[in-house]
Amino acid sequence: MSNSCVGLNDLPDEILMIIFKKLNTIDVLYSLHGSNQRLHKIVYDPIFTSCLTFVKRFSHNFINLICSDMMLNRFCSQILPEIHDKIKWLNLESSSMKHVLCTADYPNLYGLGLYNIDEESIRCLFTEAKQVLCHIYSYSSPMQYYSYITNNFPDGLFKYVRVVSLFDEHPFEHEFFLRIQKSFPFMERLCVINHKSQNHKQSYESNNDNRISSVIEYSFLSELDIDDVHDDYIEQFLFDTKTYLQSNVLLYINYESLKRLTHNFKRDATRINCAKVNELKFRSGAKCPNSSLQEYFPNAKIYYRGIF
C-alpha cells in the first residue's frame, strides 16, 4: 500500500467540523483565520464564535491563553472585529480583558467571566471601558450565568441571572453571601469554591441580634454545590440561623465534611436545612448506604459516589 498525505482542504466540511470541535476554539480561530475562504467560513461558524474562553484553569489558578503580544494584536485587530456580533459569551483573564473589551462592540453579549481580577483592575475597567460594561452589567441584561465571582464583586441587581459560581483565595464572610443574595434574587443554582476559613464567624455567632436580622433567604435556590469548600461554608448554608433554604434542594457535598459538620448526623443546628434537601449527591467519600444519614435527610434521595 502506498503512503498518502491528506490535507485539510481534502476533507469534507463535516469532518473538519468534527476535528475543529475537539480542538481549543482560541487556537482554531488564531491558526486558521485568513487561511483560505473555505476554512475561514467554517471556523467562523457560530459553534466556534458564540463563546470564547481565553483562560484555562490550572490547579487553583487561571492562566491566560493569549500567550504573546502578537497573538493579542491579531485577535484585537483582525479576528474579534469580524466576529464581534456573533459573540455571546466571553471568559477573559485580567491582563488581556481591557484590550478585548475595548476592541469592538458586542451587541449580543449576555455573559462575561472575569478571572484573576483585583479591585484596581475593576476600577480601571469601569472607567476606561464604560460603554462596553454598561451593556454587560446592566440589571436589564438577559445574562443567565455569572461565573467565579470574588470578594471584589461590585454589587448590582442581576434579575435575569439564574446560575452563579463563587471562587476566591480569600474568605467569604456572611455579609458577602448577603450581598450575593441581594444581587441575584432569582438565583436557582449556586456553586461555591473556597478553602479559607471565615475570619468573622465567631463575632457573628456571638451577636444574637445580628443573627436574627441577617438570616439569608434563598427563595428560588434549587441546587447548591458546596463540595469543594472549607467546613465554615457548610455551616454557612446548613445552619438555619444563617441560611433559610426552600424545600426540594439538590445538594452536592463531600461526605466526610458533612459527617464532621453534622456531628455524625446528630447535630440539631443543621437538621432543619438538611430536611429540606430532596437530592443528596456525593462526589467523594461515601460508597454505601448509611442509615443514620438517611434518617438525617428524611426527604432526600441519596446518590453515593460512582452511582449517580
Side-chain angles (χ1 to χ4, degrees):
M1 175 184 267
S2 61
N3 292 328
S4 62
C5 180
V6 178
L8 290 178
N9 284 321
D10 299 316
L11 299 174
D13 290 356
E14 294 78 9
I15 300 299
L16 290 175
M17 290 287 285
I18 293 172
I19 294 173
F20 294 157
K21 282 193 289 186
K22 294 182 179 295
L23 303 176
N24 181 277
T25 300
I26 301 303
D27 291 337
V28 170
L29 287 171
Y30 182 70
S31 301
L32 299 179
H33 168 79
S35 54
N36 64 52
Q37 187 173 359
R38 177 173 173 244
L39 293 179
H40 186 91
K41 181 179 179 180
I42 293 174
V43 299
Y44 276 23
D45 186 278
I47 197 170
F48 301 113
T49 59
S50 61
C51 178
L52 299 185
T53 297
F54 290 91
V55 294
K56 180 180 181 180
R57 187 169 184 176
F58 181 77
S59 184
H60 294 299
N61 296 313
F62 296 90
I63 59 175
N64 192 358
L65 293 181
I66 300 180
C67 55
S68 67
D69 290 340
M70 179 183 297
M71 187 175 183
L72 178 62
N73 290 336
R74 188 175 184 192
F75 265 100
C76 292
S77 63
Q78 300 176 28
I79 300 173
L80 293 175
E82 290 189 26
I83 62 174
H84 69 105
D85 58 334
K86 300 179 180 180
I87 298 174
K88 297 180 179 180
W89 190 285
L90 283 169
N91 290 309
L92 304 171
E93 200 273 338
S94 59
S95 61
S96 60
M97 63 186 177
K98 185 171 70 174
H99 299 282
V100 172
L101 291 174
C102 293
T103 289
D105 292 325
Y106 301 96
N108 296 309
L109 188 71
Y110 66 83
L112 177 65
L114 300 178
Y115 299 82
N116 299 337
I117 187 169
D118 54 28
E119 186 175 352
E120 182 61 28
S121 298
I122 292 175
R123 187 179 299 112
C124 292
L125 195 60
F126 269 90
T127 301
E128 299 178 27
K130 186 176 180 181
Q131 288 184 334
V132 175
L133 288 171
C134 279
H135 171 72
I136 296 170
Y137 288 108
S138 168
Y139 71 89
S140 61
S141 173
M143 181 173 66
Q144 294 187 336
Y145 302 82
Y146 208 127
S147 302
Y148 295 102
I149 296 172
T150 70
N151 279 291
N152 295 323
F153 176 63
D155 294 336
L157 178 61
F158 303 86
K159 63 181 182 180
Y160 291 101
V161 173
R162 299 293 182 267
V163 181
V164 173
S165 65
L166 313 175
F167 172 83
D168 207 329
E169 296 180 349
H170 302 282
F172 291 140
E173 304 298 340
H174 181 82
E175 292 73 18
F176 172 77
F177 290 104
L178 189 61
R179 289 168 51 207
I180 293 298
Q181 187 277 329
K182 290 180 178 179
S183 293
F184 306 100
F186 301 105
M187 175 175 57
E188 297 174 359
R189 295 164 57 189
L190 175 63
C191 174
V192 183
I193 301 174
N194 196 311
H195 302 139
K196 301 295 184 180
S197 62
Q198 292 179 317
N199 292 325
H200 307 306
K201 185 177 70 169
Q202 296 300 325
S203 61
Y204 169 84
E205 292 177 349
S206 64
N207 188 332
N208 188 61
D209 292 337
N210 183 57
R211 283 188 294 162
I212 294 173
S213 63
S214 61
V215 174
I216 304 173
E217 181 174 354
Y218 297 91
S219 301
F220 297 91
L221 191 68
S222 60
E223 181 176 318
L224 175 62
D225 187 339
I226 47 174
D227 179 72
D228 191 13
V229 297
H230 187 277
D231 286 357
D232 284 354
Y233 304 104
I234 299 176
E235 288 190 6
Q236 175 69 44
F237 285 96
L238 295 188
F239 273 32
D240 65 292
T241 55
K242 296 182 179 183
T243 296
Y244 179 86
L245 295 176
Q246 299 294 325
S247 299
N248 301 322
V249 173
L250 164 59
L251 176 64
Y252 290 94
I253 196 168
N254 178 273
Y255 176 80
E256 294 299 331
S257 298
L258 178 63
K259 182 179 179 180
R260 183 168 55 249
L261 259 296
T262 59
H263 298 172
N264 200 21
F265 314 118
K266 297 177 181 178
R267 192 176 191 176
D268 289 336
T270 51
R271 193 178 296 275
I272 291 177
N273 278 342
C274 287
K276 295 179 179 180
V277 173
N278 72 331
E279 287 187 88
L280 179 63
K281 295 188 177 183
F282 299 113
R283 295 194 179 101
S284 60
K287 299 181 181 179
C288 58
N290 181 313
S291 59
S292 298
L293 172 66
Q294 186 65 73
E295 291 175 4
Y296 202 74
F297 288 85
N299 302 308
K301 183 175 182 180
I302 301 175
Y303 299 83
Y304 294 88
R305 184 178 67 175
I307 58 174
F308 60 89

